[in-house]
Amino acid sequence: MKAVAMAAILAPGLAAAAIWADRSAAPTAPGTVSAPAGRTTQDTADSAGIAATASTVAAAAAPAGYTLAFAEEFDGTALDRSRWYYRITPGKYREGYMRAENVSVAGGALRLRYAKEALPGISGDQYTGGGVISRARFGYGYYETRARLFDATTGLHTSFWSMGLRQGDPGAGGDSEIDADVAAGLLPEHGQIHEIDGFEHDSAARLDQGTQKQATTTVIRRVGGRTAAQIGIDFAAWNTYAWELTPTVTRFYINGAVQLEVPTATYPSPFAPQNFWLTALPFSANNNTAPLPGYSEFDYFRFYRNDGLIGVNLLANGDFDVTPVTAPPTWLVPGWQENYDKPASFIITAGTHSGERALRQGLATAYTVTDKQDLKYIPNGTYRLTAWVKSSGGQSTAQMRVLNHGSTERSQSIGTQAAWTQIAINDIAVTSGNATIAFTSIGSGGQTLDVDDVVFERTS
């Protein structure tokens, strides 16, 4: 089914005709991008350093320096639940209900159904949609999908985007496997740090791209409200959408052409590996139910890692200063997976090494606790892990650790440190494309370990 498309991954730069050879319709000819009337400079590309260019039908291959690390081709007959959660809303959200039943895999594509239908126990027909969320979290790299979008009537919000998960989110928390993975320490209890919208399409005939505010230091920057004619595509035909996340800039693409650039220096935002989403949400009023049910379809999702990252911290919230807009209490550590006695892991706001917040591990009674991050799809190479620590001493175990990196676990024991002291694990050989960074304390009660400014970076 996807031999042509897979060849394009392995040999980027194939002609557009080859890329779309297994689909019935290629994107239409490009047009000129212009800002729609009435949009503000906050959500429209303008002359203040953000470029908007016309789309072309060229294949959207990853830029040089990237290597394919994850590919979901949707070639089976059912969603691969080892890779994906369903986006399920516990109740009505916006204009409808997000359900697993509205997600299917057929014909080599993920199909998200938009319908108005009867639901058990609810009076009157309701609008329904569906979506999927990756179990893995992805960091710096190039994100790409090919999609054709439902555009026959108003009401549906189809999105290609990334954002971390958090427990209790009314817009996504209905899949019980999310709570189970948080309880098992496989997900942070609050990972919602930064949102990137590769596209948000509101049927009919409007598409946005850009970054979104999920932490108080994040500045929104978008190119918004463009019609198909302004972009030069047909939303209902197959088009390739992508974004590129680097430490210095985030770029957004349609059919290989840059639509928007968001320089980090001008519009700062905290970095964090985030979950990836493909969703079709009943979002606004529907003016015509005759075309329903309708479908937004995704041919694939591919993530290319950036092999050139040297001296860049790959951890989320390594300084513990991220403050999500949802204002979690200090007993939550955003971006970090908490394991075992979770009350023994929390944020302190005084006596930090730098900034306003740091991690503390400790409890008045006996405890065992680990705070960790599982980094996936990172470049192989030699890494260094550093952190600033203070410790009361007296724990049976107090360690900084790196494991799951392709060889034997490395660790650095932490003794009594009355003042902030930097510790390091050097020459870490990552050969598996993954690494787990962890801090573990086992104490009898009354001991504390404070951690701040954690950096995991590739050195060669």
Side-chain angles (χ1 to χ4, degrees):
M1 169 64 189
K2 298 216 182 126
V4 172
M6 285 304 295
I9 308 178
L10 300 175
L14 285 180
I19 296 296
W20 289 299
D22 62 343
R23 296 300 186 190
S24 58
T28 56
T32 301
V33 174
S34 59
R39 305 300 294 176
T40 68
T41 55
Q42 175 173 318
D43 58 6
T44 303
D46 57 28
S47 59
I50 290 187
T53 63
S55 297
T56 72
V57 295
Y66 288 86
T67 300
L68 181 68
F70 178 96
E72 175 60 82
E73 302 298 319
F74 299 118
D75 274 335
T77 58
L79 185 69
D80 184 348
R81 290 284 274 152
S82 70
R83 287 182 155 194
W84 301 96
Y85 304 112
Y86 289 113
R87 182 182 183 181
I88 302 172
T89 51
K92 187 173 183 178
Y93 183 74
R94 302 295 185 177
E95 290 295 318
Y97 296 80
M98 297 290 280
R99 309 190 315 141
E101 293 85 348
N102 290 54
V103 177
S104 61
V105 175
L110 175 72
R111 308 188 77 217
L112 305 179
R113 182 168 63 95
Y114 175 43
K116 189 174 186 181
E117 57 192 321
L119 297 179
I122 301 175
S123 176
D125 287 352
Q126 303 292 322
Y127 291 104
T128 61
V132 298
I133 308 167
S134 69
R135 292 177 182 265
R137 282 159 287 148
F138 302 87
Y140 292 117
Y142 185 84
Y143 299 68
E144 183 184 278
T145 192
R146 196 156 70 95
R148 58 183 178 186
L149 309 175
F150 175 82
D151 202 43
T153 185
T154 60
L156 188 64
H157 182 83
T158 303
S159 302
F160 156 63
W161 58 303
S162 68
M163 184 180 71
L165 288 165
R166 62 181 173 92
Q167 275 194 314
D169 188 338
D175 188 336
S176 62
E177 294 194 13
I178 295 174
D179 285 344
D181 283 354
V182 170
L186 300 175
L187 280 176
E189 192 164 345
H190 198 307
Q192 195 171 314
I193 292 175
H194 188 207
E195 179 179 336
I196 299 176
D197 299 318
F199 71 73
E200 293 185 300
H201 171 259
D202 292 325
S203 66
R206 169 192 161 115
L207 187 137
D208 293 5
Q209 293 177 290
T211 59
Q212 180 68 32
K213 188 171 185 175
Q214 293 296 343
T216 56
T217 54
T218 305
V219 177
I220 301 171
R221 197 61 185 175
R222 306 178 72 78
V223 55
R226 293 185 298 164
T227 66
Q230 288 172 319
I231 300 171
I233 61 174
D234 176 0
F235 292 139
W238 289 103
N239 293 286
T240 304
Y241 303 88
W243 79 82
E244 179 187 6
L245 175 62
T246 81
T248 58
V249 67
T250 306
R251 294 186 182 91
F252 297 84
Y253 300 80
I254 298 177
N255 293 331
V258 175
Q259 307 293 309
L260 170 69
E261 293 188 344
V262 182
T264 306
T266 307
Y267 305 102
S269 59
F271 167 75
Q274 299 283 261
N275 303 86
F276 172 79
W277 308 49
L278 295 169
T279 58
L281 169 71
F283 188 79
S284 58
N286 181 292
N287 64 6
N288 179 13
T289 60
L292 304 186
Y295 293 84
S296 285
E297 297 178 282
F298 295 89
D299 184 18
Y300 59 79
F301 165 60
R302 297 169 188 159
F303 172 76
Y304 298 77
R305 69 171 185 260
N306 185 337
D307 289 330
L309 293 178
I310 302 290
V312 174
N313 192 4
L314 301 186
L315 292 170
N317 195 20
D319 58 9
F320 303 98
D321 283 331
V322 168
T323 52
V325 293
T326 50
T330 54
W331 50 263
L332 280 177
V333 184
W336 290 79
Q337 301 151 240
E338 298 170 284
N339 291 252
Y340 311 115
D341 297 322
K342 293 185 180 182
S345 162
F346 52 94
I347 292 292
I348 58 172
T349 56
T352 65
H353 173 255
S354 69
E356 298 180 352
R357 295 154 66 93
L359 169 69
R360 173 164 289 177
Q361 294 182 337
L363 207 59
T365 57
Y367 62 92
T368 297
V369 68
T370 291
D371 291 273
K372 69 176 184 178
Q373 291 189 35
D374 294 322
L375 302 178
K376 305 289 188 182
Y377 312 113
I378 64 174
N380 290 333
T382 302
Y383 286 75
R384 174 175 56 230
L385 174 62
T386 60
W388 288 84
V389 298
K390 285 175 62 177
S391 177
S392 66
Q395 305 96 330
S396 59
T397 298
Q399 288 185 333
M400 180 172 74
R401 308 159 59 202
V402 56
L403 55 159
N404 301 325
H405 54 97
S407 57
T408 305
E409 176 178 336
R410 302 274 305 277
S411 64
Q412 173 69 53
S413 293
I414 304 166
T416 302
Q417 299 288 352
W420 285 104
T421 302
Q422 189 177 44
I423 61 173
I425 302 175
N426 295 307
D427 299 321
I428 303 164
V430 173
T431 59
S432 63
N434 307 305
T436 297
I437 306 306
F439 292 86
T440 296
S441 293
I442 303 174
S444 58
Q447 301 88 24
T448 59
L449 169 64
D450 295 347
V451 181
D452 206 353
D453 297 320
V454 186
V455 176
F456 181 67
E457 59 186 349
R458 187 175 166 209
T459 57
S460 63

